[in-house]
């Protein structure tokens, strides 16, 4: 829900990622009419794709071979990841040659035009369907409020993070020019960011900030939340997923410092895993095992390929199960628990969280038991039976070993099960620049049932709301720290 305040209209039009949104210029029915038109256009495009396929029914067997080729490519990828040596080589060859062979077969049979038209029509249908559903989406902006600049801001900076962004952008000098105190981490002494943050609070800091990776940000954010202080992110890390979902400019960390002089404040949730805060994700299973390897940071791809066969075959690592609000997830190879759900089941490949104040954890569990399920994954993507996505207030991960590896915001940990993940709604006050680029909207997977209902003038089902805790937090967000 967006709370409009007469004197701060610009803040009231911020969307959930921090991007400004144009005010509504049309009547309430205009968006629905446009959505219906797009839904009908999507169905027409599907009809065009079907017509193109029907036009090639004289070569129906060849058309079926195209689908089989996609399945074989998925199976080949599984063999390449789950085996070593000659089997891996054969799998890689199959993953490459199967789709190439289908293209050659289509070209030789004269069906290349059918394939191109069908693919283009299907792509257009997906685009229209996503646009239609997006127009139905009710804006739920994270509420912001104007605050006074801090008097005793303390920023903890990692000089090596992001390949040395702190020095390259002159962040120390720029922050000090704005009145902040900077603590540079001496990585040779194995510094404790939590201890440094607590000391800064004891000395009177009224804002804590971090220029570094997400792992360091989470630790200092936990201290800020504990003491009710605002927290600030400077985008000096390598990936900066938390900053991205806050709508900050990841390419220009200097702009983050504008929060010290002209900032607004957001209330966001904070994840907790066995007493440790996290701002992005806690990963269990395959990925968590891989990042434990000391060679991972220097050779990610080689290390992953070396360990994946044993992990996917179940010959290494613990057998996991996870209990959520809705039941049990049995035997997943990987479980990812996120501070608020991702729009799609692909957070490791650029996924976005639509908001950070929904008060629920996102859960993505993956189980691929062989080449058949791998082929299904290649054909259906995140809708495959091997992928489970849900939301939950808490997640309890069990295992059959005394300790299990866990990757928390990219940091490798080892914890004793059961490992309990919870969400702390509205626990963190985040100070961000008033003007920031925002993160792009990422549409979820297309729900064709809703598209059909919309196209035929029936009320589509509203998308699932993750904001079950929002009403209780809005009152807290209205309080001023002035």
């Amino acid at each position: 829900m967006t709370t409009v305040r007469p004197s701060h209209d610009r803040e009231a039009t911020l969307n959930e990622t921090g991007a400004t949104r144009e005010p509504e210029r049309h009547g309430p029915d205009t968006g629905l009419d446009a959505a219906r038109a797009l839904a009908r256009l999507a169905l027409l495009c599907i009809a065009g794709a079907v017509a193109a396929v029907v036009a090639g029914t004289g070569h129906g067997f060849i058309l079926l071979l195209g689908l089989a080729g996609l399945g074989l490519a998925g199976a080949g990828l599984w063999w390449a990841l789950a085996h070593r040596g000659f089997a891996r080589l054969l799998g890689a060859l199959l993953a490459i040659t199967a789709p190439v062979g289908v293209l050659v077969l289509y070209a030789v049979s004269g069906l290349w035009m059918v394939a191109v038209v069908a693919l283009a029509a299907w792509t257009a249908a997906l685009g229209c369907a996503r646009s239609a559903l997006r127009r139905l989406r009710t804006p739920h902006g994270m509420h912001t409020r104007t605050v006074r600049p801090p008097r005793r801001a303390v920023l903890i900076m990692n000089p090596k993070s992001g390949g040395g962004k702190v020095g390259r952008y002159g962040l120390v000098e720029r922050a000090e020019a704005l009145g902040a105190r900077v603590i540079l981490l001496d990585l040779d002494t194995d510094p404790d960011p939590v201890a440094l943050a607590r000391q800064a609070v004891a000395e009177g800091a009224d804002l804590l900030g971090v220029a570094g990776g997400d792992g360091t940000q989470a630790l200092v954010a936990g201290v800020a939340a504990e003491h009710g202080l605002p927290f600030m992110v400077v985008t000096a890390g390598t990936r900066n997923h938390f900053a991205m979902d806050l709508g900050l400019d990841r390419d220009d960390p200097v702009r983050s410092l504008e929060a010290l002089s002209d900032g607004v404040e957001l209330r966001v949730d904070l994840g907790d895993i066995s007493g440790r805060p996290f701002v992005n994700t806690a990963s269990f299973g395959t990925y968590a095992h891989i990042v434990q390897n000391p060679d991972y940071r220097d050779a990610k791809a080689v290390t992953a390929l070396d360990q994946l066969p044993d992990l996917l075959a179940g010959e290494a690592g613990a057998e996991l199960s996870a209990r959520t609000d809705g039941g049990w997830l049995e035997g997943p190879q990987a479980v990812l628990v996120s501070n608020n759900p991702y729009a799609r089941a692909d957070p490791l490949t650029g996924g976005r969280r639509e908001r950070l104040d929904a008060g629920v954890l996102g859960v993505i569990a993956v189980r691929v038991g062989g080449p058949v399920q791998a082929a299904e994954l290649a054909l259906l993507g995140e809708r495959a039976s091997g992928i489970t996505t849900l939301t939950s207030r808490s997640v309890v991960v069990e295992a059959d070993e005394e300790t299990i590896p866990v990757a928390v915001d990219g940091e490798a940990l080892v914890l004793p099960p059961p490992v309990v993940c919870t969400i702390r709604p509205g626990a963190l006050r985040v100070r961000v620049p008033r003007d920031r680029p925002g993160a792009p909207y990422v549409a979820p997977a297309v729900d064709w049932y809703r598209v059909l209902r919309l196209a035929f003038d029936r009320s589509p089902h509203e998308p699932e709301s993750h904001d079950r805790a929002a009403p209780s937090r809005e009152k807290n967000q209205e309080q001023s720290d002035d």
Side-chain angles (χ1 to χ4, degrees):
M1 177 183 295
T2 301
T3 304
V4 179
R5 299 170 115 179
S7 60
H8 303 300
D9 287 340
R10 181 164 58 168
E11 282 94 53
T13 59
L14 292 174
N15 71 11
E16 62 273 14
T17 58
T20 55
R21 187 176 64 245
E22 292 294 325
E24 185 67 45
R25 295 189 177 91
H26 308 289
D29 294 334
T30 304
L32 182 59
D33 291 341
R36 284 196 173 119
L38 285 167
R40 290 165 183 166
L41 183 57
L43 296 183
L44 283 175
C45 290
I46 290 179
V50 172
V53 172
V54 170
T57 50
H59 303 82
F61 179 70
I62 296 177
L63 292 174
L64 290 177
L65 284 179
L67 293 177
L70 288 177
L72 285 174
L77 183 61
W78 164 264
W79 280 96
L81 295 176
H83 296 81
R84 296 186 177 91
F86 186 65
R88 170 170 285 176
L89 177 61
L90 287 180
L93 288 175
L94 182 61
I96 295 171
T97 58
V100 172
V102 169
L103 291 176
V104 171
L105 183 62
Y106 274 30
V108 171
S109 304
L111 290 178
W112 64 270
M113 183 60 71
V114 172
V116 169
V117 172
L119 182 60
W122 175 248
T123 302
L126 285 176
C128 291
R130 286 199 173 102
S131 295
L133 295 178
R134 181 177 181 177
R135 289 174 182 269
L136 293 178
R137 180 170 166 266
T138 303
H140 293 291
M142 289 199 301
H143 174 69
T144 64
R145 62 190 181 93
T146 300
V147 289
R148 292 186 304 207
R151 295 183 178 89
R152 304 188 67 179
V154 175
L155 303 183
I156 298 173
M157 297 189 178
N158 182 345
K160 294 187 178 179
S161 187
K165 286 184 179 179
V166 169
R168 190 160 66 250
Y169 287 90
L171 297 180
V172 175
E173 296 77 12
R174 293 175 183 272
E176 290 177 341
L178 292 170
R181 174 190 165 206
V182 175
I183 300 175
L184 272 178
L185 295 179
D186 184 357
L187 301 182
D188 294 331
T189 62
D190 192 21
D192 183 356
V194 173
L196 293 172
R198 292 190 189 282
Q199 182 179 351
V201 172
E203 294 172 353
D206 61 358
L207 178 146
L208 295 175
V210 171
D214 289 324
T216 305
Q217 289 173 18
L219 293 175
V220 178
V223 177
E226 177 185 342
H227 293 276
L229 295 178
F231 177 69
M232 178 178 154
V233 175
V234 181
T235 57
T238 302
R239 301 179 74 180
N240 283 132
H241 276 180
F242 186 49
M244 174 180 63
D245 292 333
L246 288 170
L248 301 180
D249 188 342
R250 296 191 296 170
D251 297 324
D252 185 4
V254 175
R255 292 188 63 181
S256 304
L257 296 176
E258 294 175 8
L260 292 171
S261 57
D262 185 22
V264 293
E265 191 170 287
L266 304 170
R267 278 276 188 177
V268 304
D269 305 333
L270 193 60
D272 184 278
I273 174 169
S274 296
R276 177 190 174 106
F278 66 94
V279 293
N280 293 326
T281 59
S283 299
F284 304 83
T286 304
Y287 175 70
H289 272 278
I290 291 173
V291 299
Q292 298 286 326
N293 192 307
D295 298 329
Y296 175 71
R297 293 195 179 276
D298 295 327
K300 291 181 173 63
V302 173
T303 304
L305 286 173
D306 181 62
Q307 292 191 254
L308 272 174
D310 294 335
L311 293 169
L312 295 178
E315 297 175 2
E319 182 174 347
L320 302 177
S321 63
R323 185 173 73 248
T324 67
D325 295 347
W328 283 89
L329 299 171
E330 295 290 349
Q333 290 154 323
V335 177
L336 184 140
V337 180
S338 59
N339 173 20
N340 283 257
Y342 282 85
R344 298 182 190 174
D346 61 350
L348 297 181
T349 58
R352 306 281 194 276
R353 288 168 289 183
E354 292 185 343
R355 57 188 307 155
L356 294 170
D357 65 344
V360 290
L361 298 167
V363 182
I364 302 173
V366 180
R367 180 173 178 79
V368 181
V372 174
Q373 282 191 308
E376 180 194 17
L377 187 62
L379 291 170
L380 300 181
E382 62 180 332
R383 292 189 179 277
S385 60
I387 295 182
T388 301
T389 59
L390 51 88
T391 60
S392 182
R393 297 278 184 175
S394 67
V395 179
V396 181
V397 178
E398 304 272 7
D400 58 357
E401 294 187 3
E402 293 184 359
T403 60
I404 56 174
V406 187
V408 181
D409 286 335
E411 301 293 329
L413 302 177
V414 177
L415 299 174
V419 179
V420 180
C421 301
T422 56
I423 190 84
R424 297 166 57 190
L428 187 61
R429 299 165 55 191
V430 180
R431 193 73 57 89
V432 294
R434 185 185 303 275
D435 295 314
R436 54 202 185 278
Y441 168 73
V442 176
V446 172
D447 185 342
W448 287 107
Y449 177 70
R450 291 185 65 216
V451 173
L452 282 170
R453 290 182 63 88
L454 179 60
F456 290 102
D457 291 322
R458 296 183 181 180
S459 297
H461 294 305
E462 289 301 321
E464 179 184 358
S465 174
H466 300 296
D467 198 26
R468 287 174 273 179
S472 63
R473 290 199 300 278
E474 286 177 5
K475 188 179 295 184
N476 294 333
Q477 292 171 343
E478 293 290 344
Q479 297 175 356
S480 175
D481 64 348
D482 292 346

